[in-house]
Amino acid sequence: MKDLLSEIWDMQRELNRYTLKQNDHGFDYNDIPGNRQLQNEWVQKYALAMSQEIGEMVDSTNWKWWRTKVDLFDEQNLKVELVDILHFWVSACQVMGLSAEDVHRMYMQKNAVNRKRQDDGYLVKDEADNRSIG
């Protein structure tokens, strides 16, 4: 069975290629990784899109403390917004040339850094420990 993260990666790449072609952006999705100008532009676009989806996610919670008599927690929509965020997050990873395998490897490395920080009491954030991730 195909790796699930790789399957998401492939599906998102195809959706992004299709979307760029449908909207006639004048370049292929494969042209973005390695092109700093396009990477900068598209990471910004995907970050903005994720921010909007996070806002929609927050709006699906009962965050308005002054509306305590109304249950505004929309569990189903929260789940959909999380998947929307994933769409844009995977796209941003791809723009930066990260494969599913790269993300898995880097996640494992960063998880170990975060675990060590917790074990050490996380008294001081040392950015040097992130330099080895890659």
Side-chain angles (χ1 to χ4, degrees):
M1 183 173 169
K2 190 172 187 179
D3 175 70
L4 298 177
L5 187 58
S6 293
E7 184 177 8
I8 289 171
W9 237 252
D10 293 344
M11 291 179 73
Q12 190 61 43
R13 184 179 299 104
E14 288 308 311
L15 178 61
N16 289 341
R17 284 180 184 152
Y18 180 76
T19 301
L20 281 177
K21 186 177 178 182
Q22 288 294 106
N23 291 288
D24 195 25
H25 282 278
F27 57 88
D28 185 81
Y29 190 68
N30 290 329
D31 295 339
I32 299 174
N35 181 321
R36 268 180 93 84
Q37 183 177 351
L38 286 175
Q39 284 177 307
N40 183 64
E41 176 184 348
W42 283 90
V43 166
Q44 286 179 14
K45 288 179 180 190
Y46 290 135
L48 180 60
M50 282 186 282
S51 296
Q52 182 63 37
E53 297 299 338
I54 289 170
E56 292 174 16
M57 187 175 76
V58 170
D59 284 342
S60 295
T61 68
N62 194 15
W63 67 272
K64 296 178 181 178
W65 63 90
W66 61 91
R67 293 185 72 182
T68 57
K69 294 182 181 178
V70 179
D71 182 11
L72 298 175
F73 186 80
D74 187 343
E75 184 176 349
Q76 192 276 335
N77 195 60
L78 279 163
K79 292 174 182 177
V80 171
E81 299 304 341
L82 286 165
V83 173
D84 284 344
I85 293 165
L86 178 62
H87 274 268
F88 295 118
W89 180 83
V90 170
S91 296
C93 288
Q94 290 176 348
V95 161
M96 295 309 301
L98 294 172
S99 67
E101 294 78 14
D102 293 333
V103 168
H104 181 269
R105 182 186 67 256
M106 291 176 73
Y107 176 88
M108 299 303 283
Q109 293 169 347
K110 180 64 178 186
N111 187 277
V113 166
N114 288 344
R115 181 60 179 232
K116 183 170 181 351
R117 287 175 175 171
Q118 291 301 312
D119 290 345
D120 294 346
Y122 206 175
L123 300 174
V124 178
K125 184 174 181 179
D126 182 5
E127 290 297 327
D129 56 8
N130 283 333
R131 288 190 186 21
S132 65
I133 297 172

